[in-house]
């Protein structure tokens, strides 16, 4: 007795006629969403909470935009908002490629589908979700805030549809063009940096709002709005204002620009899909090329580092910074935030030259948990450490690798901050404090690495293995307190020189004093940490290999 074969989503898509393909893909998108919510009650609760939150924010934004109706600057706000949303649509697939399973067209490459019908189907499926609904609400508020007259409302309907389609097509084209990268390990590393992008974006928005409030309000944005109203997809929304003012030719031209941009994005998307469906994956071909291994040897970096074990450890640590996703993300975040804080505060007029020490503080933390960054691979290092001398060379190489990056960067942060504030006389003092703080953190980090090691899971977003969070907090907070205590003499000297009568003439001495003090503190920390590392090597290996 034969049974009918069970239809899967893939066979359903492949069996669909071109006319019914769009409906099939939309149903597949809804099925993926429904099945995902069935997995657990927690997932359903998170989804419902996110929908409620997004709708609440969208409603507030919609009310705010409608309240701008009649304001002379409403068209400028509208086009700026549209361009910001379009930028978000363009970059979000790069940082959250796993947020929508239908973003990966390679799942359909084995099905007998042509690119053009598939583009239409995926475009329709992309309109199903929280993101498109949120964008639609904001676009609706943007056109209501500036539409006057029946013809303007007709243009508004067309403009909203065009702008939304351009945003969705832009996201799809970007995702399809980078899908091989995004589904690889290196591509997934981009998601680790998403927090950095958000932090930088928040600082930029905060700085822009403060400058906007102190320089004449929205009128200062009108020149920018005049340019952006001709840039798709904002041109589709800008056409509403043109129609409201009776400039029907300009409105038609703006709509045509957005339509042309939509056609270009769809053509690019279709072309990318064709390439994905007909060409092999190039991500692993380079590894099989003859001589690939030979080309990777003999780098110039090793020739610039000290000879012996110290130079070898330095090169290994620097390669970890460049190649390991977690280590690279930590360094990039520290480098960016360490410069953003002092620079943005200086630009806002609320900064201090001493904020430049924030860069040294952020970067010095990278010396903590040095062995945990190796994870289970630390056993190869452990086999080469048998005495305190070996441990000292290992720790010295790691410390020098950290200082090789942090010293020039801290000097750069101090120079830029003092230049923005026009306080060049404070530069030697700030440099001395930064170097002393850096030395204290490196010394405390070396001791903490030996005393309180913990594992960093190589996969996922967790930076501490389960059960070791308390250990990580002890290492970090204890190191911070120890660093503050170690820096106290230099800080006290700086305070005394700035308070005492005539003491400012001698603040330049803090630069050589801080450099010598920082070097002595680093040497002391390495000498204390080396015997502890050699003695506790089995415990360190067990701790960093956990998870």
């Amino acid at each position: 007795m034969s049974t009918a074969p069970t239809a899967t989503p893939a066979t359903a898509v492949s069996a669909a006629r071109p006319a019914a393909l769009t409906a099939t893909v939309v149903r597949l998108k809804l099925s993926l969403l429904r099945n995902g919510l069935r997995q657990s009650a927690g997932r359903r609760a998170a989804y419902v909470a996110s929908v409620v939150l997004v709708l609440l924010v969208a409603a507030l934004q919609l009310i705010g935009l409608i309240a701008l109706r009649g304001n002379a600057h409403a068209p400028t706000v509208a086009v700026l908002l549209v361009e910001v949303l379009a930028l978000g649509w363009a970059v979000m697939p790069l940082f959250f490629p796993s947020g929508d399973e239908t973003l990966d067209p390679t799942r359909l490459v084995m099905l007998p589908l042509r690119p053009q019908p598939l583009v239409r189907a995926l475009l329709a499926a992309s309109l199903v979700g929280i993101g498109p609904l949120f964008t639609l609400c904001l676009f609706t508020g943007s056109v209501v805030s500036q539409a006057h007259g029946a013809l303007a409302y007709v243009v508004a309907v067309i403009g909203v549809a065009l702008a939304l389609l351009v945003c969705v097509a832009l996201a799809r084209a970007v995702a399809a063009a980078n899908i091989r990268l995004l589904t690889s390990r290196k591509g997934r590393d981009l998601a680790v940096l998403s927090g950095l992008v958000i932090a930088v974006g928040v600082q930029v928005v905060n700085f822009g709002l403060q400058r906007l409030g102190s320089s004449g309000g929205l009128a200062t944005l009108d020149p920018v709005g005049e340019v952006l109203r001709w840039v798709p997809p904002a041109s589709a929304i800008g056409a509403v204002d043109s129609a409201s003012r009776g400039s029907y030719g300009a409105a038609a031209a703006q709509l045509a620009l957005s339509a042309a941009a939509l056609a270009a994005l769809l053509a690019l998307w279709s072309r990318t899909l064709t390439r994905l469906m007909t060409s092999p994956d190039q991500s692993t071909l380079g590894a099989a090329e003859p001589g690939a291994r030979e080309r990777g040897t003999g780098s110039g970096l090793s020739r610039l580092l000290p000879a012996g074990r110290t130079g070898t450890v330095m090169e290994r640590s620097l390669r970890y910074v460049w190649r390991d996703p977690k280590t690279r993300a930590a360094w990039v975040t520290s480098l960016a935030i360490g410069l953003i804080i002092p620079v943005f505060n200086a630009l806002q007029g609320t900064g201090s030259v001493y904020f430049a020490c924030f860069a040294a503080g952020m970067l010095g933390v990278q010396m903590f948990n040095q062995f945990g960054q190796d994870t289970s691979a630390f056993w190869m290092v452990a086999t080469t450490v048998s005495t305190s001398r070996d441990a000292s060379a290992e720790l010295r190489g790691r410390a020098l690798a950290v200082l090789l990056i942090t010293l020039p960067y801290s000097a750069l942060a101090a120079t830029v901050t003092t230049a923005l504030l026009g306080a060049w006389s404070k530069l030697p003092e700030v440099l001395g404090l930064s170097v002393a703080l850096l030395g204290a953190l490196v010394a405390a980090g070396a001791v903490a690495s030996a005393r309180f090691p913990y594992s960093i899971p190589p996969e996922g977003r967790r930076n501490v293995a389960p059960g070791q969070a308390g250990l990580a907090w002890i290492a970090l907070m204890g190191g911070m307190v120890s660093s503050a205590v170690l820096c106290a003499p230099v800080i006290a000297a700086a305070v005394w020189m700035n308070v005492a009568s005539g003491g400012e003439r001698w603040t330049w001495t803090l630069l050589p004093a801080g450099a010598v003090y920082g070097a002595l503190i680093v040497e002391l920390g390495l000498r204390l940490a080396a015997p502890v590392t050699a003695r506790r090597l089995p415990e360190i290996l067990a701790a960093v290999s956990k998870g």
Side-chain angles (χ1 to χ4, degrees):
M1 181 176 180
S2 61
T3 59
T6 303
T8 64
T11 58
V13 172
S14 61
R17 299 186 304 274
L21 180 61
T22 299
T24 303
V25 174
V26 171
R27 288 198 300 271
L28 176 60
K29 174 70 175 286
L30 294 174
S31 297
L32 290 171
L33 179 60
R34 183 175 60 253
N35 293 337
L37 295 178
R38 286 176 176 174
Q39 291 182 2
S40 66
R43 188 165 184 172
R44 287 193 297 273
Y47 183 80
V48 172
S50 62
V51 170
V52 171
L53 179 61
V54 168
L55 290 178
L56 179 61
V57 173
L60 294 175
Q61 294 283 344
L62 179 61
I63 295 172
L65 288 168
I66 294 176
L68 282 176
R69 182 175 175 82
N71 189 292
H73 306 295
T76 298
V77 175
V79 295
L80 285 171
L81 178 63
V82 173
E83 290 297 351
V84 170
L85 284 173
L87 180 63
W89 275 93
V91 301
M92 281 302 104
L94 299 177
F95 294 114
F96 303 103
S98 60
D100 185 355
E101 295 180 359
T102 61
L103 281 174
D104 187 0
T106 58
R107 297 170 182 250
L108 306 175
V109 295
M110 300 302 294
L111 302 179
L113 301 173
R114 293 186 177 274
Q116 288 78 13
L118 184 58
V119 164
R120 292 194 296 268
L122 290 175
L123 182 63
S126 300
L127 297 174
V128 178
I130 303 175
L133 178 60
F134 177 79
T135 306
L136 179 62
C137 291
L138 267 60
F139 285 177
T140 301
S142 298
V143 297
V144 170
S145 67
Q146 55 182 325
H148 301 281
L151 187 58
Y153 278 101
V154 174
V155 173
V157 174
I158 301 173
V160 168
L162 273 176
L164 181 60
L165 289 174
V166 168
C167 289
V168 174
L170 177 61
R172 284 292 187 170
V174 170
N178 297 277
I179 195 62
R180 291 262 168 85
L181 170 66
L182 295 176
T183 53
S184 66
R185 194 190 75 170
K186 289 185 177 180
R188 290 192 294 269
D189 295 345
L190 290 171
V192 181
L193 301 178
S194 59
L196 171 62
V197 174
I198 294 173
V200 174
V202 168
Q203 289 291 335
V204 171
V205 171
N206 181 42
F207 174 68
L209 290 176
Q210 290 194 9
R211 293 296 293 263
L212 188 64
S214 61
S215 59
L218 294 174
T220 58
L221 297 177
D222 286 340
V224 180
E226 289 297 325
V227 176
L228 293 181
R229 63 187 286 124
W230 292 96
V231 178
S235 60
I237 304 300
V240 179
D241 179 57
S242 298
S244 298
R245 292 187 284 106
S247 302
Y248 302 120
Q254 289 169 307
L255 290 176
L257 280 174
S258 290
L262 177 60
L265 288 171
L266 293 178
L268 175 63
W269 186 9
S270 177
R271 194 182 203 178
T272 305
L273 286 178
T274 301
R275 187 174 69 251
L276 288 172
M277 292 179 173
T278 57
S279 62
D281 188 353
Q282 301 290 326
S283 62
T284 57
L285 295 182
E289 293 180 1
R293 183 179 298 274
E294 288 77 2
R295 288 197 300 269
T297 60
S299 65
L301 178 63
S302 59
R303 293 193 293 269
L304 300 176
L305 300 177
R309 175 165 185 153
T310 299
T312 303
V313 174
M314 288 181 67
E315 183 176 5
R316 186 213 316 144
S317 299
L318 293 173
R319 289 187 183 278
Y320 277 174
V321 172
W322 180 252
R323 294 180 178 179
D324 181 66
K326 291 288 184 72
T327 306
R328 183 170 64 246
W331 272 99
V332 170
T333 303
S334 297
L335 288 169
I337 297 179
L339 193 59
I340 287 172
I341 298 298
V343 168
F344 272 77
N345 278 280
L347 290 173
Q348 292 170 4
T350 60
S352 168
V353 290
Y354 302 108
F355 281 2
C357 297
F358 194 83
M362 289 293 297
L363 296 173
V365 175
Q366 302 306 317
M367 187 62 192
F368 286 75
N369 195 35
Q370 278 290 309
F371 305 131
Q373 297 174 15
D374 298 355
T375 62
S376 58
F378 180 68
W379 72 268
M380 292 186 291
V381 176
T383 57
T384 66
V385 177
S386 57
T387 64
S388 296
R389 184 184 182 89
D390 296 333
S392 177
E394 178 71 26
L395 287 168
R396 190 175 304 275
R398 292 173 184 257
L400 289 176
V402 171
L403 292 172
L404 186 64
I405 301 174
T406 55
L407 276 175
Y409 197 79
S410 298
L412 172 66
T415 304
V416 171
T417 305
T418 52
L420 291 174
L421 294 174
W424 288 106
S425 61
K426 292 286 187 180
L427 180 58
E429 177 185 354
V430 174
L431 284 174
L433 289 171
S434 296
V435 173
L437 174 60
L438 201 53
L441 285 169
V442 170
V447 176
S449 297
R451 291 283 184 183
F452 307 106
Y454 56 90
S455 178
I456 301 177
E459 300 293 337
R461 298 184 178 231
R462 298 178 64 95
N463 290 320
V464 182
Q468 293 185 327
L471 196 62
W473 274 106
I474 292 174
L476 188 59
M477 299 308 296
M480 293 294 185
V481 173
S482 302
S483 302
V485 173
L486 291 173
C487 275
V490 181
I491 296 174
V495 172
W496 179 82
M497 289 181 183
N498 283 279
V499 172
S501 177
E504 292 186 357
R505 293 177 301 174
W506 301 98
T507 54
W508 64 270
T509 60
L510 288 173
L511 176 55
V516 172
Y517 185 81
L520 292 176
I521 289 297
V522 169
E523 183 65 26
L524 177 62
L526 294 178
R527 288 180 179 272
L528 292 175
V532 177
T533 301
R535 187 174 64 252
R536 301 189 70 249
L537 202 59
E539 292 90 340
I540 295 174
L541 181 59
V544 302
S545 301
K546 184 178 180 180

